[in-house]
Amino acid sequence: MPQAGQQPGAATMQIGEILVSPPVIHTPAGVMPLAGANWYVVDQWHREEKIASWAIVCAVLGFFCLTFFSLLFLLIKETRHYGTVQVTVTSGGHQYVARIPVVDQGQVQQINNQVNYARSLSAV
């Protein structure tokens, strides 16, 4: 059942802890009007290199057979990408920033698509 002032059949979506439910935006800090809201997205990626777990196991097990050569396994690194997408919404004199953890580019694209849809709802 639609709330007072809400259009029947209006879409409700969630971007992190921001809930967009026309005609308002619900955040943990309060409620803001959707009309005229400004949305900003910043993605922040980090890269981490560390010795692969399987390489450590091979180095320890190989130490008993080929002492020196087994240490070469410790040169094998694996790279892991991780980060956050920061979504900022400003409306009615209030601002809220949500930081959403992501592990791949697909999640970043999905958040950007959701924010673009929220922008289109804000323009109505």
Side-chain angles (χ1 to χ4, degrees):
M1 175 176 225
Q3 297 175 355
Q6 185 175 2
Q7 302 167 1
T12 299
M13 67 174 200
Q14 187 166 354
I15 305 169
E17 61 267 9
I18 300 171
L19 180 66
V20 180
S21 179
V24 293
I25 303 167
H26 298 275
T27 68
V31 178
M32 298 183 243
L34 178 60
N38 293 314
W39 297 84
Y40 305 98
V41 178
V42 177
D43 57 344
Q44 301 165 336
W45 283 97
H46 303 283
R47 182 178 140 180
E48 176 182 76
E49 283 189 8
K50 65 176 191 170
I51 300 172
S53 303
W54 63 268
I56 294 172
V57 171
C58 289
V60 170
L61 295 177
F63 186 76
F64 298 108
C65 300
L66 303 168
T67 305
F68 177 73
F69 293 111
S70 67
L71 296 178
L72 294 176
F73 281 110
L74 298 177
L75 296 176
I76 299 172
K77 306 279 188 209
E78 62 183 13
T79 303
R80 184 175 78 100
H81 295 278
Y82 63 96
T84 58
V85 174
Q86 181 175 305
V87 177
T88 305
V89 60
T90 305
S91 180
H94 300 296
Q95 179 176 358
Y96 186 77
V97 178
R99 289 176 183 82
I100 306 163
V102 292
V103 293
D104 65 24
Q105 193 62 32
Q107 289 178 319
V108 174
Q109 186 61 43
Q110 179 184 8
I111 292 169
N112 278 307
N113 291 341
Q114 288 178 317
V115 170
N116 286 335
Y117 181 64
R119 284 180 180 140
S120 69
L121 291 175
S122 297
V124 173

